[in-house]
Amino acid sequence: MNLLKEMARHLEFAGFGERERDIFWGRMPDLPDACVAVFSPDSARPGAENGARVQIVNRAESPGAAYETACELANALDGFHGFLAGDGAAAKITVLSAASGMGGDGKKREMYAAELRVLYGEQEEER
């Protein structure tokens, strides 16, 4: 199972855009200006006791738009306990930090990040 791909699919399911158009996993292309990307500082293995660490990075043309999207992402994901995208992997998501400013990219588009802990797989079922 590709956790990043499943998380991107879940964000699409939750209404944050369309995969490969404005939601990406493992990369953040130069276009579009406003988009969301899913990265993994530590994917862990399914069933890992401490879960995986996942980072959701979003960018927008204005600081306000980027911040608001980051807050919406964190609110939609925090406390999630179910199947990703309705029919994917079982997961339990906890937001560790939301709307952490990362500054502007090379084109001065504001970027924000949310850090998540994702329990998925066998261990998730036991909790």
Side-chain angles (χ1 to χ4, degrees):
M1 180 189 93
N2 182 329
L3 180 60
L4 297 184
K5 189 174 183 179
E6 286 290 307
M7 289 295 296
R9 198 168 77 89
H10 186 71
L11 292 175
E12 179 180 47
F13 179 78
F16 287 97
E18 187 177 318
R19 282 176 296 151
E20 298 306 315
R21 188 186 77 194
D22 36 32
I23 300 172
F24 304 91
W25 60 271
R27 67 188 180 95
M28 181 176 269
D30 191 44
L31 292 173
D33 289 331
C35 64
V36 175
V38 182
F39 297 102
S40 178
D42 177 8
S43 284
R45 59 176 175 67
E49 186 175 335
N50 293 325
R53 284 188 23 228
V54 174
Q55 183 181 55
I56 309 290
V57 177
N58 72 287
R59 123 180 125 211
E61 292 182 34
S62 74
Y67 177 77
E68 289 171 13
T69 299
C71 290
E72 290 171 10
L73 285 161
N75 287 335
L77 295 171
D78 193 37
F80 175 83
H81 191 182
F83 296 97
L84 295 174
D87 65 355
K92 182 176 181 182
I93 300 173
T94 303
V95 173
L96 303 175
S97 67
S100 299
M102 299 175 70
D105 67 2
K107 292 186 176 180
K108 300 185 182 188
R109 299 171 293 193
E110 288 295 316
M111 297 175 64
Y112 280 83
E115 298 287 335
L116 315 174
R117 181 176 70 141
V118 181
L119 298 172
Y120 69 106
E122 296 170 21
Q123 187 72 21
E124 191 282 323
E125 291 300 321
E126 296 173 12
R127 291 183 183 255

